[in-house]
Amino acid sequence: MPTLSPRDLVERLSWRYATKKFDATKKIPADVWAALEQSLLLSPSSFGLQPWAFIVVNDRATREKLVAASWNQPQILAASHLVVFAIRKNLKAADAEKLIDRIVEVRKVPRESLEGLKGMMTGFLGNPPAGFKIDDWSARQVYIALGTFLTSCAAVGIDACPMEGIQPADYDRILGLGKQGLAAVCVATAGYRADDDGYAKLPKVRYPAEQIIQRV
C-alpha cells in the first residue's frame, strides 16, 4: 500500500490551516468528497460505538439560514461543503445491542463470542459513573471524528476550517435534528482557500516540541 513519507506528512499538516476565506467558485470533485465522507465513516470511537451523525449540507437555502446561527461567518456559504458534526443523544444499552448486531452481520462471528464486549458497553451506558454525562462523552468522540476529517482533508489537498462558533440549538432547529435524537456539536467547512486569504501566508504558531512533548 502506498504511504506518505514522513516528510510528506509533516508538509501536509504544515500546509493545513483553519481557512477563513474560501474561493466560492471552486467545488470539491465528487470522487474526492466521497473519500472524505469515507474518512468520517472510518473515524475511530470508544468501543466502536460511533455515537454520531454527520450532516452534509449542500442546499443553498439551508446554508443561508445557518449563517445567522454561525455568527455570520462567511465560510458557511463560501465553502464547497459544510459538515455538521452531531451526537446521538442519550445513548442506552440498546445502542450496544445495535452495535453487536452489526458486528455479527459484518464479521460473521457467533453472537456469544461478543458477550464480553457487550457486557462492557451495556455496563458503561446503563450505569455510568456518578456525575458522568454520556452526551458529554459522545461529544468528545465527535471531536475524534473532526480531527480525522481535518487530517484527511490535508492529506488530499483540501482546505478546511473547524468551527465551534455556532449556536447549536439553532442548528438543531433548522436541520430538524432534535426529532432525530441528534444534537449539533460543531461544524467543518471544506473547499479551496481564496487567493487573498491572508491567513494562508502566516507562519504557524506552535510551542517548541520540548515544551509540549514529554518522553519517559
Side-chain angles (χ1 to χ4, degrees):
M1 177 182 294
T3 60
L4 284 174
S5 70
R7 176 178 293 180
D8 288 341
L9 173 63
V10 174
E11 286 181 351
R12 288 286 86 197
L13 295 178
S14 297
W15 170 86
R16 187 211 71 78
Y17 75 108
T19 305
K20 300 297 188 294
K21 188 174 183 181
F22 287 91
D23 185 337
T25 68
K26 294 182 179 179
K27 302 301 179 184
I28 300 172
D31 61 333
V32 176
W33 183 253
L36 292 173
E37 286 192 354
Q38 285 296 307
S39 78
L40 291 170
L41 294 178
L42 293 170
S43 297
S45 61
S46 185
F47 298 116
L49 269 168
Q50 306 157 71
W52 50 47
F54 310 113
I55 300 89
V56 181
V57 185
N58 290 322
D59 181 68
R60 176 78 180 187
T62 302
R63 283 217 217 174
E64 288 174 350
K65 294 177 183 177
L66 292 173
V67 171
S70 310
W71 305 105
N72 295 312
Q73 295 179 84
Q75 299 99 309
I76 298 298
L77 281 180
S80 172
H81 286 69
L82 168 65
V83 184
V84 180
F85 291 73
I87 62 167
R88 290 190 284 121
K89 296 172 63 178
N90 304 316
L91 291 184
K92 305 293 184 186
D95 293 287
E97 292 278 4
K98 181 179 179 181
L99 179 59
I100 293 296
D101 290 341
R102 182 61 174 161
I103 295 173
V104 170
E105 177 187 1
V106 172
R107 294 182 174 173
K108 313 299 183 187
V109 296
R111 180 175 295 276
E112 55 270 21
S113 69
L114 302 172
E115 284 300 314
L117 175 61
K118 175 184 171 182
M120 285 191 293
M121 292 192 295
T122 56
F124 171 69
L125 295 175
N127 187 30
F132 188 93
K133 296 181 179 179
I134 293 294
D135 282 356
D136 290 344
W137 172 85
S138 295
R140 292 196 293 271
Q141 304 304 306
V142 161
Y143 280 100
I144 297 174
L146 175 63
T148 299
F149 178 75
L150 296 175
T151 302
S152 298
C153 283
V156 295
I158 296 297
D159 289 298
C161 183
M163 302 170 69
E164 287 187 302
I166 66 170
Q167 296 168 295
D170 288 339
Y171 265 72
D172 294 347
R173 174 180 53 79
I174 293 167
L175 297 172
L177 300 184
K179 62 186 177 183
Q180 301 178 57
L182 305 174
V185 174
C186 60
V187 305
T189 47
Y192 297 92
R193 65 189 69 177
D195 291 338
D196 60 347
D197 186 355
Y199 287 94
K201 300 176 178 62
L202 296 176
K204 281 193 181 297
V205 179
R206 298 293 188 271
Y207 292 110
E210 58 268 23
Q211 293 183 21
I212 301 299
I213 298 174
Q214 300 184 26
R215 300 178 180 89
V216 180

